[in-house]
Amino acid sequence: CSLGGSRLREWQPGERLFEAAVAETAKALKSGARLAGILWHQGESDSKEVESALTYAKRLRVIMAALIARIREAAGVAERVCAPLPVLVGELGEYLDGNADSLYHREINAQLAEFAALRPEYALVRARGDVEGIAIQRVHILHVHEVGLRDVLQVAEQVAAGVADTA
């Protein structure tokens, strides 16, 4: 489920985007799909206000815990949802430097890093640089093209392998 320009508060349990994400995922799982992870790439709309930026990790922690719990509950078959479920969170791009509508994007990135450090199955995908030794320079905030997507999937495989090694 994806919607550009959304605020984190729109993804809270009971809100339209949260419920749509659960419903769409449950529909896919019931048709035989398997959920191997979550890619979370949101935050630009929350970078406009300092309070929203400073509380981002705390709010995302609550949302993600509820989302994973509801998806597991809705799946009906536990084997269809990877356990533990990897969550990759993508940074906001440096192109926001100097953007008056995103004054706190660096704080959002710091909050995303804080969130990613909470659990071994969580990882931060940097807009530039690397994640655990993998260069992720082709991932753009507005769209992920084919080469960038391969990079993100490579990170996902490493996170999943690391989770499997410790489980």
Side-chain angles (χ1 to χ4, degrees), residues 35-77:
L35 182 61
I38 295 174
L39 175 60
W40 184 265
H41 203 40
Q42 189 279 340
E44 188 173 340
S45 293
D46 289 280
S47 70
K48 297 175 183 182
E49 301 164 358
V50 67
E51 183 62 27
S52 184
L54 291 172
T55 60
Y56 192 89
K58 179 181 177 182
R59 295 180 297 130
L60 181 57
R61 191 170 43 244
V62 171
I63 290 168
M64 197 57 65
L67 182 62
I68 292 170
R70 285 279 304 281
I71 287 171
R72 288 192 189 290
E73 178 184 300
V77 181

Side-chain angles (χ1 to χ4, degrees), residues 2 25 33 36 46 48 55 67-68 70 73 76 82 92 110 113 118-119 128 131 134 141 145 150 158:
S2 172
T25 305
D46 289 280
K48 297 175 183 182
T55 60
L67 182 62
I68 292 170
R70 285 279 304 281
E73 178 184 300
C82 183
L92 302 180
L118 291 173
R119 303 181 60 97
R128 299 232 167 152
V131 176
I134 299 175
I141 185 74
H145 54 73
R150 279 195 299 257
Q158 278 200 350

Side-chain angles (χ1 to χ4, degrees), residues 50-115:
V50 67
E51 183 62 27
S52 184
L54 291 172
T55 60
Y56 192 89
K58 179 181 177 182
R59 295 180 297 130
L60 181 57
R61 191 170 43 244
V62 171
I63 290 168
M64 197 57 65
L67 182 62
I68 292 170
R70 285 279 304 281
I71 287 171
R72 288 192 189 290
E73 178 184 300
V77 181
E79 296 79 35
R80 295 197 195 268
V81 181
C82 183
L85 187 63
V87 176
L88 306 181
V89 293
E91 276 189 339
L92 302 180
E94 293 176 354
Y95 70 92
L96 292 171
D97 288 345
N99 184 329
D101 287 331
S102 297
L103 292 176
Y104 305 103
H105 71 280
R106 290 188 182 273
E107 180 58 34
I108 293 287
N109 285 346
Q111 293 281 313
L112 288 166
E114 179 182 319
F115 173 83

